[in-house]
Amino acid sequence: MNEVIKQLMEHRSIRKFTDVPLDQSTVKLLVEAAQHASTSSFVQAYSIIGVTDPDIKHELSLIGTQNFIEHNGHLFVFVADFKRHQLLSERAGLDAQPFIGATERFIVGTVDASLAAQNLAVAAESMGLGICYVGGLRNDMAKVIELLKLPEFTYPLFGMVAGYPAQQGSKKERLPFDHVYHENRYVIDGDYMQQIEDYDRSIAEYYRTRTAGERVDTWSQQMVGKVRGNAREEIDSTVKRQGFLSQK
Amino acid sequence: MNEVIKQLMEHRSIRKFTDVPLDQSTVKLLVEAAQHASTSSFVQAYSIIGVTDPDIKHELSLIGTQNFIEHNGHLFVFVADFKRHQLLSERAGLDAQPFIGATERFIVGTVDASLAAQNLAVAAESMGLGICYVGGLRNDMAKVIELLKLPEFTYPLFGMVAGYPAQQGSKKERLPFDHVYHENRYVIDGDYMQQIEDYDRSIAEYYRTRTAGERVDTWSQQMVGKVRGNAREEIDSTVKRQGFLSQK
C-alpha cells in the first residue's frame, strides 16, 4: 500500500480545530487542487465560497448546529453552479432554463462539486490539516443562499471546514467490502442481510469501547432512526426556486 | 507543494488502455480506499459494480459510445444506493419510500457515490493507473439498470474505467481561480465575464496547438453547444421509477 492510499485509508473527520486561520496561499492551493478533479464534459459546474466573515460564519453555525462551523482554519461552501452557463447562453440568444432544469443537470452540478470537494479534502489531509464535511447547511438551504448571495442556477451543496486539528478524531469501520462491491450484477442473497448483521456487531463494539459501555448502538439502528428523522423537505422547493428540477 | 497535491494537479483523463486487467487485490484495495471517503451521516448510500463480463461491457460501451468502456483494466459503475436502508426499514415496520423519495436523499446518494469515486480515482492514479469517468452511461440509464440488475432505491450515476494507460492524456487548464472561488459572497461584477473571455483565449490556444491549428474552439462555445445538445430527459422518469424524487 503506497503513501497516498495509506492516507485515504486513515481519513477521519475532525470536529475541533485551533483558531489559527489557513493562510491565503494554502487556500488557493487547496482550491486549485479541487479544480483539477474530473468534471462532467468539462462543464466545471460548481463554485466555492470561502467564508471568513465572522457574522456569516456564526449564522452558518446556527444553521448547521455545530460549533466547529464557526471555529476552524477555513470554511468552504461548495455550490453547484450553472450561472455562468446561463449567462453565456443568454449572450448567444438561448434560454438555458430547460437545459439547467433537467434532472441530468442537477446530477452534473452535484457530482462536479462533490469531486472537487473530495480532492480538496485529500489535499488538505496531505498537508496534515483536518477536515469535516458539513451537510448540516442543508438544514436551511434557503438561508444559506441568502447569506452568501447565491444567484439563480446555483445551489449550496455542503460546507467543508478545514484547519489545524485540536482533536484526533477516530476512524469508523465501513460496510463490508462484499456488501458494497458486486461483480457484474447487483445481488441480494442470503448473505446480504447477514453482512449487515456482522457489521452491526463491529459498530456496536466500536461505540461500546469508545464510551466505556455507555453507548449501545448499531449501524442498522442509526439508519432506521434516520428514516424516522428530518427529511429536509423544503430543499425540494428551494432547488426548484433556484432553477433546478423543473423538468416537465 | 507536496507529492499528493502534485499528483492531484497532474490529473488527466485516460481514454486508451492496454487490455491487461487489474488483479483482484488491486480492485479490492481501490474499493476500500473509496469506502474511506466521508459519507453523509454515516449512511454509506452507494454501491460499486465491477463489470468484467465481456458481453455486459460491450453493451455498456454501446450506451456510452466510447471504445474504452469495453477495453480497459477494470470497469466500475457507481450506484447511489438506499436499498439496504429500505430493507432495514421494512424489517422495522417502516415505509422508507417518503424518506428515500425526498430530494435531500437524491442529493445524499449522489454525493456519497461521488466522494467514494473520487477517492478511487486518486488511489488508482497514485498507483500509476489511468482513469476516466464515464458519464455517458446516463445516455440510457434504464438500460444500465436492466443490465446490472439494479434494484429499486438505487440508480447508476456514472462509470469509471481504470487501467494501464496506452496514451499520455493531456491536462486541460481549469477556469481561473478568481472565477470559481468567491470570498463570503457570490459576486457577479465586471470581471466575471472578462475572466471567461481570458479563459476562452487560453483554451482556444490549447486546441490550436494540439491540432496544429485545425480545431477552433473556446470553452464558451462548447458550453453553449451543450445547452443546445442532448438533455438526457428520460433520466427524470428513470430515477422516479427507481423510487427517487417522488416528494410531493
Side-chain angles (χ1 to χ4, degrees), chain A residues 35 37 52 81 103-104 118-119 138 174-175 184 186 232-233 236 247, chain B residues 35 37 52 81 103-104 118-119 138 174-175 184 186 232-233 236 247:
Chain A
Q35 288 189 265
T52 52
D81 185 356
T103 299
E104 160 71 1
Q118 187 56 15
N119 253 22
R138 294 196 305 274
R174 299 321 203 209
L175 282 164
N184 292 315
Y186 196 107
R232 292 179 175 156
E233 286 185 347
D236 190 62
Q247 193 179 331
Chain B
Q35 287 189 265
T52 53
D81 186 355
T103 299
E104 161 70 2
Q118 187 56 16
N119 253 20
R138 295 197 304 274
R174 298 322 203 208
L175 282 164
N184 293 315
Y186 196 107
R232 291 179 175 157
E233 286 184 348
D236 190 63
Q247 194 180 329

PDB file of all heavy atoms in Angstrom, chain A residues 35 37 52 81 103-104 118-119 138 174-175 184 186 232-233 236 247, chain B residues 35 37 52 81 103-104 118-119 138 174-175 184 186 232-233 236 247:
ATOM      1  N   GLN A  35      -9.963  22.057  -8.209  1.00  0.00           N
ATOM      2  CA  GLN A  35     -10.334  22.327  -9.598  1.00  0.00           C
ATOM      3  C   GLN A  35      -9.784  21.290 -10.576  1.00  0.00           C
ATOM      4  O   GLN A  35     -10.288  21.159 -11.687  1.00  0.00           O
ATOM      5  CB  GLN A  35      -9.820  23.717 -10.015  1.00  0.00           C
ATOM      6  CG  GLN A  35     -10.579  24.857  -9.395  1.00  0.00           C
ATOM      7  CD  GLN A  35     -10.147  26.177 -10.025  1.00  0.00           C
ATOM      8  OE1 GLN A  35      -9.275  26.881  -9.522  1.00  0.00           O
ATOM      9  NE2 GLN A  35     -10.750  26.514 -11.157  1.00  0.00           N
ATOM     10  N   ALA A  37      -9.868  18.084 -10.238  1.00  0.00           N
ATOM     11  CA  ALA A  37     -10.683  16.862 -10.299  1.00  0.00           C
ATOM     12  C   ALA A  37     -11.361  16.790 -11.666  1.00  0.00           C
ATOM     13  O   ALA A  37     -11.489  17.798 -12.360  1.00  0.00           O
ATOM     14  CB  ALA A  37     -11.735  16.881  -9.194  1.00  0.00           C
ATOM     15  N   THR A  52     -15.084  33.880   5.531  1.00  0.00           N
ATOM     16  CA  THR A  52     -14.170  34.376   6.559  1.00  0.00           C
ATOM     17  C   THR A  52     -14.861  35.403   7.465  1.00  0.00           C
ATOM     18  O   THR A  52     -14.394  35.661   8.567  1.00  0.00           O
ATOM     19  CB  THR A  52     -12.952  35.057   5.903  1.00  0.00           C
ATOM     20  OG1 THR A  52     -13.425  36.019   4.954  1.00  0.00           O
ATOM     21  CG2 THR A  52     -12.073  34.029   5.177  1.00  0.00           C
ATOM     22  N   ASP A  81     -23.211  24.989  -9.704  1.00  0.00           N
ATOM     23  CA  ASP A  81     -23.286  26.314 -10.323  1.00  0.00           C
ATOM     24  C   ASP A  81     -23.386  26.228 -11.844  1.00  0.00           C
ATOM     25  O   ASP A  81     -22.426  25.859 -12.523  1.00  0.00           O
ATOM     26  CB  ASP A  81     -22.035  27.117  -9.922  1.00  0.00           C
ATOM     27  CG  ASP A  81     -22.069  28.553 -10.416  1.00  0.00           C
ATOM     28  OD1 ASP A  81     -23.016  28.927 -11.139  1.00  0.00           O
ATOM     29  OD2 ASP A  81     -21.139  29.318 -10.076  1.00  0.00           O
ATOM     30  N   THR A 103     -33.230  17.048 -14.900  1.00  0.00           N
ATOM     31  CA  THR A 103     -32.687  16.270 -13.783  1.00  0.00           C
ATOM     32  C   THR A 103     -31.211  15.924 -14.010  1.00  0.00           C
ATOM     33  O   THR A 103     -30.409  15.910 -13.076  1.00  0.00           O
ATOM     34  CB  THR A 103     -33.554  15.008 -13.588  1.00  0.00           C
ATOM     35  OG1 THR A 103     -34.877  15.454 -13.280  1.00  0.00           O
ATOM     36  CG2 THR A 103     -33.040  14.139 -12.450  1.00  0.00           C
ATOM     37  N   GLU A 104     -30.853  15.667 -15.264  1.00  0.00           N
ATOM     38  CA  GLU A 104     -29.453  15.390 -15.611  1.00  0.00           C
ATOM     39  C   GLU A 104     -28.528  16.499 -15.106  1.00  0.00           C
ATOM     40  O   GLU A 104     -27.452  16.228 -14.578  1.00  0.00           O
ATOM     41  CB  GLU A 104     -29.334  15.237 -17.131  1.00  0.00           C
ATOM     42  CG  GLU A 104     -27.943  15.423 -17.730  1.00  0.00           C
ATOM     43  CD  GLU A 104     -26.964  14.297 -17.416  1.00  0.00           C
ATOM     44  OE1 GLU A 104     -27.339  13.315 -16.733  1.00  0.00           O
ATOM     45  OE2 GLU A 104     -25.795  14.407 -17.829  1.00  0.00           O
ATOM     46  N   GLN A 118     -13.901  16.483  -2.773  1.00  0.00           N
ATOM     47  CA  GLN A 118     -13.108  15.368  -2.265  1.00  0.00           C
ATOM     48  C   GLN A 118     -11.630  15.570  -2.582  1.00  0.00           C
ATOM     49  O   GLN A 118     -10.772  15.225  -1.776  1.00  0.00           O
ATOM     50  CB  GLN A 118     -13.637  14.032  -2.805  1.00  0.00           C
ATOM     51  CG  GLN A 118     -12.978  12.795  -2.188  1.00  0.00           C
ATOM     52  CD  GLN A 118     -13.075  12.739  -0.670  1.00  0.00           C
ATOM     53  OE1 GLN A 118     -13.857  13.452  -0.029  1.00  0.00           O
ATOM     54  NE2 GLN A 118     -12.239  11.920  -0.055  1.00  0.00           N
ATOM     55  N   ASN A 119     -11.323  16.153  -3.737  1.00  0.00           N
ATOM     56  CA  ASN A 119      -9.924  16.500  -3.999  1.00  0.00           C
ATOM     57  C   ASN A 119      -9.418  17.495  -2.952  1.00  0.00           C
ATOM     58  O   ASN A 119      -8.293  17.369  -2.464  1.00  0.00           O
ATOM     59  CB  ASN A 119      -9.795  17.131  -5.394  1.00  0.00           C
ATOM     60  CG  ASN A 119      -9.137  16.197  -6.395  1.00  0.00           C
ATOM     61  OD1 ASN A 119      -9.144  14.980  -6.192  1.00  0.00           O
ATOM     62  ND2 ASN A 119      -8.598  16.736  -7.468  1.00  0.00           N
ATOM     63  N   ARG A 138     -27.612  22.113   4.806  1.00  0.00           N
ATOM     64  CA  ARG A 138     -28.875  21.848   4.107  1.00  0.00           C
ATOM     65  C   ARG A 138     -30.070  21.846   5.066  1.00  0.00           C
ATOM     66  O   ARG A 138     -31.201  21.676   4.634  1.00  0.00           O
ATOM     67  CB  ARG A 138     -28.797  20.527   3.324  1.00  0.00           C
ATOM     68  CG  ARG A 138     -27.778  20.565   2.162  1.00  0.00           C
ATOM     69  CD  ARG A 138     -27.986  19.423   1.153  1.00  0.00           C
ATOM     70  NE  ARG A 138     -27.965  18.118   1.771  1.00  0.00           N
ATOM     71  CZ  ARG A 138     -26.867  17.394   2.014  1.00  0.00           C
ATOM     72  NH1 ARG A 138     -25.674  17.873   1.667  1.00  0.00           N
ATOM     73  NH2 ARG A 138     -26.942  16.220   2.592  1.00  0.00           N
ATOM     74  N   ARG A 174     -16.034   0.769   7.776  1.00  0.00           N
ATOM     75  CA  ARG A 174     -17.064   0.869   6.748  1.00  0.00           C
ATOM     76  C   ARG A 174     -17.802  -0.455   6.587  1.00  0.00           C
ATOM     77  O   ARG A 174     -17.370  -1.498   7.093  1.00  0.00           O
ATOM     78  CB  ARG A 174     -16.442   1.251   5.411  1.00  0.00           C
ATOM     79  CG  ARG A 174     -15.721   2.607   5.372  1.00  0.00           C
ATOM     80  CD  ARG A 174     -16.398   3.681   6.134  1.00  0.00           C
ATOM     81  NE  ARG A 174     -16.060   5.032   5.688  1.00  0.00           N
ATOM     82  CZ  ARG A 174     -16.051   6.084   6.459  1.00  0.00           C
ATOM     83  NH1 ARG A 174     -16.309   5.982   7.760  1.00  0.00           N
ATOM     84  NH2 ARG A 174     -15.787   7.286   5.985  1.00  0.00           N
ATOM     85  N   LEU A 175     -18.912  -0.413   5.848  1.00  0.00           N
ATOM     86  CA  LEU A 175     -19.649  -1.640   5.492  1.00  0.00           C
ATOM     87  C   LEU A 175     -18.680  -2.652   4.862  1.00  0.00           C
ATOM     88  O   LEU A 175     -17.698  -2.265   4.235  1.00  0.00           O
ATOM     89  CB  LEU A 175     -20.748  -1.304   4.474  1.00  0.00           C
ATOM     90  CG  LEU A 175     -22.026  -0.662   5.037  1.00  0.00           C
ATOM     91  CD1 LEU A 175     -22.844  -0.028   3.918  1.00  0.00           C
ATOM     92  CD2 LEU A 175     -22.869  -1.696   5.785  1.00  0.00           C
ATOM     93  N   ASN A 184     -20.573  -7.669 -11.694  1.00  0.00           N
ATOM     94  CA  ASN A 184     -21.464  -7.767 -12.872  1.00  0.00           C
ATOM     95  C   ASN A 184     -22.944  -7.495 -12.602  1.00  0.00           C
ATOM     96  O   ASN A 184     -23.619  -6.917 -13.442  1.00  0.00           O
ATOM     97  CB  ASN A 184     -21.296  -9.116 -13.581  1.00  0.00           C
ATOM     98  CG  ASN A 184     -19.925  -9.214 -14.231  1.00  0.00           C
ATOM     99  OD1 ASN A 184     -19.476  -8.266 -14.869  1.00  0.00           O
ATOM    100  ND2 ASN A 184     -19.243 -10.323 -14.040  1.00  0.00           N
ATOM    101  N   TYR A 186     -26.030  -6.668  -9.404  1.00  0.00           N
ATOM    102  CA  TYR A 186     -26.381  -6.399  -8.010  1.00  0.00           C
ATOM    103  C   TYR A 186     -27.106  -7.627  -7.476  1.00  0.00           C
ATOM    104  O   TYR A 186     -28.136  -8.029  -8.009  1.00  0.00           O
ATOM    105  CB  TYR A 186     -27.317  -5.196  -7.956  1.00  0.00           C
ATOM    106  CG  TYR A 186     -27.458  -4.554  -6.586  1.00  0.00           C
ATOM    107  CD1 TYR A 186     -26.870  -3.328  -6.310  1.00  0.00           C
ATOM    108  CD2 TYR A 186     -28.207  -5.159  -5.578  1.00  0.00           C
ATOM    109  CE1 TYR A 186     -27.022  -2.717  -5.072  1.00  0.00           C
ATOM    110  CE2 TYR A 186     -28.346  -4.563  -4.330  1.00  0.00           C
ATOM    111  CZ  TYR A 186     -27.748  -3.337  -4.088  1.00  0.00           C
ATOM    112  OH  TYR A 186     -27.893  -2.735  -2.851  1.00  0.00           O
ATOM    113  N   ARG A 232     -35.712  17.037   5.665  1.00  0.00           N
ATOM    114  CA  ARG A 232     -35.297  18.283   4.993  1.00  0.00           C
ATOM    115  C   ARG A 232     -36.163  18.542   3.754  1.00  0.00           C
ATOM    116  O   ARG A 232     -35.648  18.787   2.653  1.00  0.00           O
ATOM    117  CB  ARG A 232     -33.821  18.220   4.607  1.00  0.00           C
ATOM    118  CG  ARG A 232     -32.883  18.218   5.801  1.00  0.00           C
ATOM    119  CD  ARG A 232     -31.414  18.143   5.396  1.00  0.00           C
ATOM    120  NE  ARG A 232     -30.524  18.258   6.544  1.00  0.00           N
ATOM    121  CZ  ARG A 232     -29.276  17.791   6.579  1.00  0.00           C
ATOM    122  NH1 ARG A 232     -28.761  17.205   5.535  1.00  0.00           N
ATOM    123  NH2 ARG A 232     -28.532  17.937   7.658  1.00  0.00           N
ATOM    124  N   GLU A 233     -37.470  18.488   3.951  1.00  0.00           N
ATOM    125  CA  GLU A 233     -38.383  18.524   2.806  1.00  0.00           C
ATOM    126  C   GLU A 233     -38.361  19.821   2.011  1.00  0.00           C
ATOM    127  O   GLU A 233     -38.664  19.832   0.824  1.00  0.00           O
ATOM    128  CB  GLU A 233     -39.810  18.234   3.280  1.00  0.00           C
ATOM    129  CG  GLU A 233     -39.972  16.763   3.613  1.00  0.00           C
ATOM    130  CD  GLU A 233     -41.388  16.378   3.987  1.00  0.00           C
ATOM    131  OE1 GLU A 233     -42.193  17.286   4.223  1.00  0.00           O
ATOM    132  OE2 GLU A 233     -41.653  15.167   4.044  1.00  0.00           O
ATOM    133  N   ASP A 236     -36.564  20.639  -1.616  1.00  0.00           N
ATOM    134  CA  ASP A 236     -37.180  20.455  -2.934  1.00  0.00           C
ATOM    135  C   ASP A 236     -37.651  21.785  -3.523  1.00  0.00           C
ATOM    136  O   ASP A 236     -37.318  22.115  -4.665  1.00  0.00           O
ATOM    137  CB  ASP A 236     -38.352  19.468  -2.819  1.00  0.00           C
ATOM    138  CG  ASP A 236     -38.866  19.048  -4.175  1.00  0.00           C
ATOM    139  OD1 ASP A 236     -38.081  18.433  -4.932  1.00  0.00           O
ATOM    140  OD2 ASP A 236     -40.021  19.355  -4.496  1.00  0.00           O
ATOM    141  N   GLN A 247     -37.973  20.042 -14.742  1.00  0.00           N
ATOM    142  CA  GLN A 247     -38.327  19.298 -15.962  1.00  0.00           C
ATOM    143  C   GLN A 247     -39.778  18.845 -15.913  1.00  0.00           C
ATOM    144  O   GLN A 247     -40.239  18.348 -14.886  1.00  0.00           O
ATOM    145  CB  GLN A 247     -37.389  18.093 -16.060  1.00  0.00           C
ATOM    146  CG  GLN A 247     -37.418  17.412 -17.401  1.00  0.00           C
ATOM    147  CD  GLN A 247     -36.441  16.243 -17.453  1.00  0.00           C
ATOM    148  OE1 GLN A 247     -35.426  16.247 -16.770  1.00  0.00           O
ATOM    149  NE2 GLN A 247     -36.765  15.253 -18.251  1.00  0.00           N
TER     150      GLN A 247
ATOM    151  N   GLN B  35     -14.168   3.476  -0.081  1.00  0.00           N
ATOM    152  CA  GLN B  35     -15.078   3.396   1.068  1.00  0.00           C
ATOM    153  C   GLN B  35     -14.658   4.299   2.222  1.00  0.00           C
ATOM    154  O   GLN B  35     -15.486   4.614   3.077  1.00  0.00           O
ATOM    155  CB  GLN B  35     -15.145   1.950   1.568  1.00  0.00           C
ATOM    156  CG  GLN B  35     -15.922   1.009   0.654  1.00  0.00           C
ATOM    157  CD  GLN B  35     -16.119  -0.345   1.332  1.00  0.00           C
ATOM    158  OE1 GLN B  35     -15.342  -1.257   1.124  1.00  0.00           O
ATOM    159  NE2 GLN B  35     -17.147  -0.447   2.156  1.00  0.00           N
ATOM    160  N   ALA B  37     -13.762   7.372   2.046  1.00  0.00           N
ATOM    161  CA  ALA B  37     -14.173   8.769   1.873  1.00  0.00           C
ATOM    162  C   ALA B  37     -15.259   9.098   2.901  1.00  0.00           C
ATOM    163  O   ALA B  37     -15.908   8.198   3.449  1.00  0.00           O
ATOM    164  CB  ALA B  37     -14.714   8.983   0.456  1.00  0.00           C
ATOM    165  N   THR B  52     -16.960  -7.202 -15.349  1.00  0.00           N
ATOM    166  CA  THR B  52     -15.906  -7.993 -16.004  1.00  0.00           C
ATOM    167  C   THR B  52     -16.477  -8.835 -17.148  1.00  0.00           C
ATOM    168  O   THR B  52     -15.736  -9.264 -18.016  1.00  0.00           O
ATOM    169  CB  THR B  52     -15.234  -8.937 -14.977  1.00  0.00           C
ATOM    170  OG1 THR B  52     -16.262  -9.697 -14.320  1.00  0.00           O
ATOM    171  CG2 THR B  52     -14.459  -8.155 -13.938  1.00  0.00           C
ATOM    172  N   ASP B  81     -27.313   4.311  -3.651  1.00  0.00           N
ATOM    173  CA  ASP B  81     -27.967   3.094  -3.159  1.00  0.00           C
ATOM    174  C   ASP B  81     -28.592   3.280  -1.770  1.00  0.00           C
ATOM    175  O   ASP B  81     -27.891   3.406  -0.770  1.00  0.00           O
ATOM    176  CB  ASP B  81     -26.919   1.965  -3.116  1.00  0.00           C
ATOM    177  CG  ASP B  81     -27.531   0.616  -2.750  1.00  0.00           C
ATOM    178  OD1 ASP B  81     -28.732   0.547  -2.445  1.00  0.00           O
ATOM    179  OD2 ASP B  81     -26.775  -0.391  -2.771  1.00  0.00           O
ATOM    180  N   THR B 103     -36.008  14.916  -2.022  1.00  0.00           N
ATOM    181  CA  THR B 103     -34.905  15.453  -2.829  1.00  0.00           C
ATOM    182  C   THR B 103     -33.586  15.401  -2.068  1.00  0.00           C
ATOM    183  O   THR B 103     -32.524  15.143  -2.639  1.00  0.00           O
ATOM    184  CB  THR B 103     -35.259  16.895  -3.259  1.00  0.00           C
ATOM    185  OG1 THR B 103     -36.454  16.806  -4.036  1.00  0.00           O
ATOM    186  CG2 THR B 103     -34.170  17.526  -4.094  1.00  0.00           C
ATOM    187  N   GLU B 104     -33.645  15.628  -0.755  1.00  0.00           N
ATOM    188  CA  GLU B 104     -32.456  15.531   0.090  1.00  0.00           C
ATOM    189  C   GLU B 104     -31.738  14.192  -0.108  1.00  0.00           C
ATOM    190  O   GLU B 104     -30.510  14.122  -0.162  1.00  0.00           O
ATOM    191  CB  GLU B 104     -32.855  15.713   1.562  1.00  0.00           C
ATOM    192  CG  GLU B 104     -31.862  15.207   2.603  1.00  0.00           C
ATOM    193  CD  GLU B 104     -30.573  16.011   2.711  1.00  0.00           C
ATOM    194  OE1 GLU B 104     -30.410  17.022   2.009  1.00  0.00           O
ATOM    195  OE2 GLU B 104     -29.705  15.601   3.506  1.00  0.00           O
ATOM    196  N   GLN B 118     -14.222   9.620  -6.281  1.00  0.00           N
ATOM    197  CA  GLN B 118     -13.032  10.453  -6.408  1.00  0.00           C
ATOM    198  C   GLN B 118     -11.875   9.883  -5.589  1.00  0.00           C
ATOM    199  O   GLN B 118     -10.726   9.945  -6.004  1.00  0.00           O
ATOM    200  CB  GLN B 118     -13.340  11.911  -6.031  1.00  0.00           C
ATOM    201  CG  GLN B 118     -12.195  12.884  -6.306  1.00  0.00           C
ATOM    202  CD  GLN B 118     -11.708  12.887  -7.751  1.00  0.00           C
ATOM    203  OE1 GLN B 118     -12.368  12.391  -8.655  1.00  0.00           O
ATOM    204  NE2 GLN B 118     -10.512  13.418  -7.967  1.00  0.00           N
ATOM    205  N   ASN B 119     -12.174   9.286  -4.441  1.00  0.00           N
ATOM    206  CA  ASN B 119     -11.121   8.589  -3.701  1.00  0.00           C
ATOM    207  C   ASN B 119     -10.553   7.438  -4.539  1.00  0.00           C
ATOM    208  O   ASN B 119      -9.341   7.223  -4.579  1.00  0.00           O
ATOM    209  CB  ASN B 119     -11.677   8.016  -2.380  1.00  0.00           C
ATOM    210  CG  ASN B 119     -11.199   8.793  -1.166  1.00  0.00           C
ATOM    211  OD1 ASN B 119     -10.780   9.948  -1.291  1.00  0.00           O
ATOM    212  ND2 ASN B 119     -11.265   8.185   0.007  1.00  0.00           N
ATOM    213  N   ARG B 138     -25.215   7.509 -18.596  1.00  0.00           N
ATOM    214  CA  ARG B 138     -26.527   8.147 -18.403  1.00  0.00           C
ATOM    215  C   ARG B 138     -27.251   8.409 -19.729  1.00  0.00           C
ATOM    216  O   ARG B 138     -28.371   8.903 -19.720  1.00  0.00           O
ATOM    217  CB  ARG B 138     -26.387   9.438 -17.577  1.00  0.00           C
ATOM    218  CG  ARG B 138     -25.907   9.181 -16.135  1.00  0.00           C
ATOM    219  CD  ARG B 138     -26.154  10.381 -15.210  1.00  0.00           C
ATOM    220  NE  ARG B 138     -25.555  11.599 -15.705  1.00  0.00           N
ATOM    221  CZ  ARG B 138     -24.293  11.979 -15.494  1.00  0.00           C
ATOM    222  NH1 ARG B 138     -23.480  11.237 -14.761  1.00  0.00           N
ATOM    223  NH2 ARG B 138     -23.843  13.114 -15.997  1.00  0.00           N
ATOM    224  N   ARG B 174      -8.041  24.748 -16.073  1.00  0.00           N
ATOM    225  CA  ARG B 174      -9.358  24.984 -15.498  1.00  0.00           C
ATOM    226  C   ARG B 174      -9.725  26.468 -15.543  1.00  0.00           C
ATOM    227  O   ARG B 174      -8.858  27.321 -15.801  1.00  0.00           O
ATOM    228  CB  ARG B 174      -9.390  24.514 -14.036  1.00  0.00           C
ATOM    229  CG  ARG B 174      -9.138  23.037 -13.800  1.00  0.00           C
ATOM    230  CD  ARG B 174      -9.731  22.144 -14.825  1.00  0.00           C
ATOM    231  NE  ARG B 174      -9.967  20.793 -14.354  1.00  0.00           N
ATOM    232  CZ  ARG B 174      -9.961  19.716 -15.137  1.00  0.00           C
ATOM    233  NH1 ARG B 174      -9.705  19.818 -16.417  1.00  0.00           N
ATOM    234  NH2 ARG B 174     -10.225  18.521 -14.651  1.00  0.00           N
ATOM    235  N   LEU B 175     -10.990  26.764 -15.236  1.00  0.00           N
ATOM    236  CA  LEU B 175     -11.445  28.156 -15.105  1.00  0.00           C
ATOM    237  C   LEU B 175     -10.531  28.902 -14.122  1.00  0.00           C
ATOM    238  O   LEU B 175      -9.990  28.299 -13.200  1.00  0.00           O
ATOM    239  CB  LEU B 175     -12.884  28.187 -14.586  1.00  0.00           C
ATOM    240  CG  LEU B 175     -13.998  27.894 -15.604  1.00  0.00           C
ATOM    241  CD1 LEU B 175     -15.304  27.560 -14.876  1.00  0.00           C
ATOM    242  CD2 LEU B 175     -14.208  29.078 -16.548  1.00  0.00           C
ATOM    243  N   ASN B 184     -16.872  35.097   0.869  1.00  0.00           N
ATOM    244  CA  ASN B 184     -18.061  35.496   1.635  1.00  0.00           C
ATOM    245  C   ASN B 184     -19.356  35.623   0.834  1.00  0.00           C
ATOM    246  O   ASN B 184     -20.418  35.278   1.340  1.00  0.00           O
ATOM    247  CB  ASN B 184     -17.815  36.789   2.421  1.00  0.00           C
ATOM    248  CG  ASN B 184     -16.794  36.560   3.528  1.00  0.00           C
ATOM    249  OD1 ASN B 184     -16.873  35.548   4.248  1.00  0.00           O
ATOM    250  ND2 ASN B 184     -15.823  37.438   3.641  1.00  0.00           N
ATOM    251  N   TYR B 186     -21.173  35.488  -3.311  1.00  0.00           N
ATOM    252  CA  TYR B 186     -21.052  35.255  -4.750  1.00  0.00           C
ATOM    253  C   TYR B 186     -21.166  36.608  -5.439  1.00  0.00           C
ATOM    254  O   TYR B 186     -22.166  37.308  -5.276  1.00  0.00           O
ATOM    255  CB  TYR B 186     -22.181  34.342  -5.201  1.00  0.00           C
ATOM    256  CG  TYR B 186     -21.996  33.706  -6.568  1.00  0.00           C
ATOM    257  CD1 TYR B 186     -21.682  32.362  -6.679  1.00  0.00           C
ATOM    258  CD2 TYR B 186     -22.155  34.444  -7.734  1.00  0.00           C
ATOM    259  CE1 TYR B 186     -21.535  31.751  -7.920  1.00  0.00           C
ATOM    260  CE2 TYR B 186     -22.000  33.847  -8.984  1.00  0.00           C
ATOM    261  CZ  TYR B 186     -21.692  32.504  -9.063  1.00  0.00           C
ATOM    262  OH  TYR B 186     -21.545  31.904 -10.299  1.00  0.00           O
ATOM    263  N   ARG B 232     -30.767  14.521 -22.077  1.00  0.00           N
ATOM    264  CA  ARG B 232     -30.968  13.241 -21.361  1.00  0.00           C
ATOM    265  C   ARG B 232     -32.265  13.291 -20.529  1.00  0.00           C
ATOM    266  O   ARG B 232     -32.256  13.003 -19.331  1.00  0.00           O
ATOM    267  CB  ARG B 232     -29.774  12.938 -20.462  1.00  0.00           C
ATOM    268  CG  ARG B 232     -28.500  12.609 -21.242  1.00  0.00           C
ATOM    269  CD  ARG B 232     -27.312  12.336 -20.328  1.00  0.00           C
ATOM    270  NE  ARG B 232     -26.141  11.906 -21.076  1.00  0.00           N
ATOM    271  CZ  ARG B 232     -24.882  12.022 -20.645  1.00  0.00           C
ATOM    272  NH1 ARG B 232     -24.646  12.534 -19.459  1.00  0.00           N
ATOM    273  NH2 ARG B 232     -23.879  11.597 -21.372  1.00  0.00           N
ATOM    274  N   GLU B 233     -33.332  13.692 -21.192  1.00  0.00           N
ATOM    275  CA  GLU B 233     -34.581  13.969 -20.467  1.00  0.00           C
ATOM    276  C   GLU B 233     -35.183  12.754 -19.773  1.00  0.00           C
ATOM    277  O   GLU B 233     -35.880  12.887 -18.776  1.00  0.00           O
ATOM    278  CB  GLU B 233     -35.600  14.606 -21.413  1.00  0.00           C
ATOM    279  CG  GLU B 233     -35.238  16.046 -21.705  1.00  0.00           C
ATOM    280  CD  GLU B 233     -36.259  16.763 -22.561  1.00  0.00           C
ATOM    281  OE1 GLU B 233     -37.137  16.101 -23.114  1.00  0.00           O
ATOM    282  OE2 GLU B 233     -36.152  18.000 -22.646  1.00  0.00           O
ATOM    283  N   ASP B 236     -35.125  11.675 -15.788  1.00  0.00           N
ATOM    284  CA  ASP B 236     -36.103  12.088 -14.778  1.00  0.00           C
ATOM    285  C   ASP B 236     -37.098  10.959 -14.471  1.00  0.00           C
ATOM    286  O   ASP B 236     -37.314  10.610 -13.300  1.00  0.00           O
ATOM    287  CB  ASP B 236     -36.845  13.342 -15.259  1.00  0.00           C
ATOM    288  CG  ASP B 236     -37.691  13.953 -14.154  1.00  0.00           C
ATOM    289  OD1 ASP B 236     -37.089  14.376 -13.136  1.00  0.00           O
ATOM    290  OD2 ASP B 236     -38.915  13.973 -14.289  1.00  0.00           O
ATOM    291  N   GLN B 247     -40.996  13.294  -4.036  1.00  0.00           N
ATOM    292  CA  GLN B 247     -41.552  14.161  -2.998  1.00  0.00           C
ATOM    293  C   GLN B 247     -42.712  14.986  -3.546  1.00  0.00           C
ATOM    294  O   GLN B 247     -42.641  15.531  -4.634  1.00  0.00           O
ATOM    295  CB  GLN B 247     -40.432  15.084  -2.509  1.00  0.00           C
ATOM    296  CG  GLN B 247     -40.745  15.786  -1.228  1.00  0.00           C
ATOM    297  CD  GLN B 247     -39.594  16.679  -0.790  1.00  0.00           C
ATOM    298  OE1 GLN B 247     -38.433  16.380  -1.062  1.00  0.00           O
ATOM    299  NE2 GLN B 247     -39.906  17.766  -0.115  1.00  0.00           N
TER     300      GLN B 247
END
